[in-house]
Amino acid sequence: MASPADATPVVEAQKRADPELKNVVEFLRGKHGPKVRRGILNGKRVDYFKGKTAIRTLLSPQYQKLKKVPVLKDEEEAKALMIKLLPFAFFLRTDRPPAPVPPPSGTPKTLQLAPQQSFDETSYYTWFYDGSPLYTILGGAAMVVIMLAGVMFPLWPIKLRIGVWYLSIGVLILVGLFIVLAIVRLIFWCITVLTMKRAIWIYPNLFEDVGFFDSFRPGWAYDEPKKKIKKKKAVGGVTPSKKSKTPTAGGVEAIDALTHAAGADEPPAGSPGSPTEASATGVQINPASESNNQGGLRSRQAATIEEIEDDES
């Protein structure tokens, strides 16, 4: 974890913190703490978080279950606690300067220490505290012991070596059973695909991201196919709002025949009984509007609709 050039004042400041404040910092730095991001400060990778995520973490139910920590009731008290923690340099405010060239997605952001150290919900804060060193020391000691034990295996007592051999055989048997189970369920699925309308999976959650016992529940389930989303695509630049049916070729020919027949039978304009004069029923027909209606009908007939299916990958 990166630290300022002069790290001694930071360590001394952290030692001066009260036990209650240290408990709060341990909670924030633990698994229930605010979501951290990866950044680069002074050429080293660091973890940083946003102020508002720390506020939400302090008001979470997990924090309320803690003991020997300050009691918080609202956001103002949580913000006051973060301001109280800031002078002990467990975390410091950092800025993200805009990069001249946008970095690729997922690349750690470049950070720099802010000249004015204050708490703001929209600002970013970099950790200068890695948690209790006890776990680091115990982990290192355990790793050394395991390596020495492996190297000195020929010097182990005979009974201990036999016990380790049986244990390794048991682990290999479990791994083999898992592989056999995966092959059997695949063969059973292939059989049900060919013989039944709906395929069946044995232990459908076997490879899902669930717990150990949940991987074997339920014992079987139907293989539900993924639903395909259908979209409407308009041909001719027309996007209809509802489904419509395209007239068939026979229907179009019948409409054209009726139109030509009506045009041949109608008298000249201005003559008695012409469409421009009132008929016996008192209805007046406008040939111009009729031709416009026919043109609009043919233009609508030109638009067809087809359905395409999205390929789900």
Side-chain angles (χ1 to χ4, degrees), residues 6-81:
D6 188 5
T8 304
V10 174
V11 175
E12 292 180 356
Q14 294 176 358
K15 290 181 179 180
R16 291 196 299 267
D18 297 334
E20 287 189 352
L21 298 181
K22 289 184 178 179
N23 293 336
V24 175
V25 173
E26 291 289 347
F27 171 76
L28 293 175
R29 199 67 173 104
K31 62 179 181 179
H32 297 297
K35 180 182 178 181
V36 296
R37 311 177 189 183
R38 302 293 290 176
I40 299 177
L41 179 64
N42 297 333
K44 297 182 180 180
R45 290 180 179 268
V46 294
D47 294 337
Y48 69 99
F49 62 92
K50 202 167 186 178
K52 64 179 181 180
T53 59
I55 296 297
R56 288 199 299 263
T57 303
L58 292 176
L59 298 176
S60 64
Q62 289 80 5
Y63 179 83
Q64 304 299 329
K65 297 177 182 178
L66 297 178
K67 297 179 180 180
K68 297 181 180 181
V69 294
V71 179
L72 304 177
K73 297 180 180 179
D74 52 21
E75 293 186 3
E76 294 299 328
E77 293 184 356
K79 187 175 180 179
L81 179 59

Side-chain angles (χ1 to χ4, degrees), residues 260-272:
H260 289 302
D265 293 340
E266 66 181 13
S271 61

Side-chain angles (χ1 to χ4, degrees), residues 85-270:
L85 288 172
L86 197 57
F88 297 102
F90 291 104
F91 50 84
L92 294 176
R93 180 175 176 176
T94 51
D95 298 329
R96 292 197 312 188
V101 179
S105 178
T107 303
K109 304 291 184 181
T110 302
L111 306 173
Q112 63 181 12
L113 284 175
Q116 184 68 28
Q117 290 295 319
S118 60
F119 183 78
D120 185 11
E121 295 183 5
T122 60
S123 300
Y124 298 98
Y125 297 87
T126 301
W127 280 108
F128 290 92
Y129 178 71
D130 291 329
S132 176
L134 177 62
Y135 297 103
T136 304
I137 296 173
L138 292 178
M143 186 177 296
V144 172
V145 170
I146 292 173
M147 293 179 64
L148 288 176
V151 172
M152 300 175 65
F153 181 77
L155 302 179
W156 288 16
I158 185 65
K159 293 183 178 180
L160 189 58
R161 282 186 287 174
I162 293 175
V164 172
W165 183 82
Y166 280 118
L167 181 62
S168 60
I169 294 298
V171 173
L172 290 176
I173 291 174
L174 289 178
V175 174
L177 289 176
F178 183 83
I179 296 174
V180 170
L181 177 60
I183 296 174
V184 169
R185 70 192 292 267
L186 178 60
I187 294 174
F188 184 80
W189 179 83
C190 294
I191 294 174
T192 55
V193 166
L194 300 175
T195 59
M196 301 177 63
K197 294 182 179 179
R198 299 172 63 185
I200 296 177
W201 277 115
I202 301 176
Y203 300 125
N205 295 328
L206 186 62
F207 296 103
E208 297 295 332
D209 187 13
V210 294
F212 176 79
F213 296 101
D214 292 334
S215 299
F216 300 95
R217 291 196 296 255
W220 66 276
Y222 288 109
D223 185 13
E224 299 292 342
K226 295 182 178 180
K227 296 181 180 179
K228 295 184 178 181
I229 302 175
K230 295 183 178 181
K231 290 185 178 180
K232 296 179 180 180
K233 180 179 178 182
V235 180
V238 180
T239 304
S241 58
K242 296 182 180 180
K243 292 184 178 180
S244 59
K245 295 182 179 179
T246 304
T248 59
V252 175
E253 294 177 357
I255 294 174
D256 291 339
L258 292 175
T259 304
H260 289 302
D265 293 340
E266 66 181 13

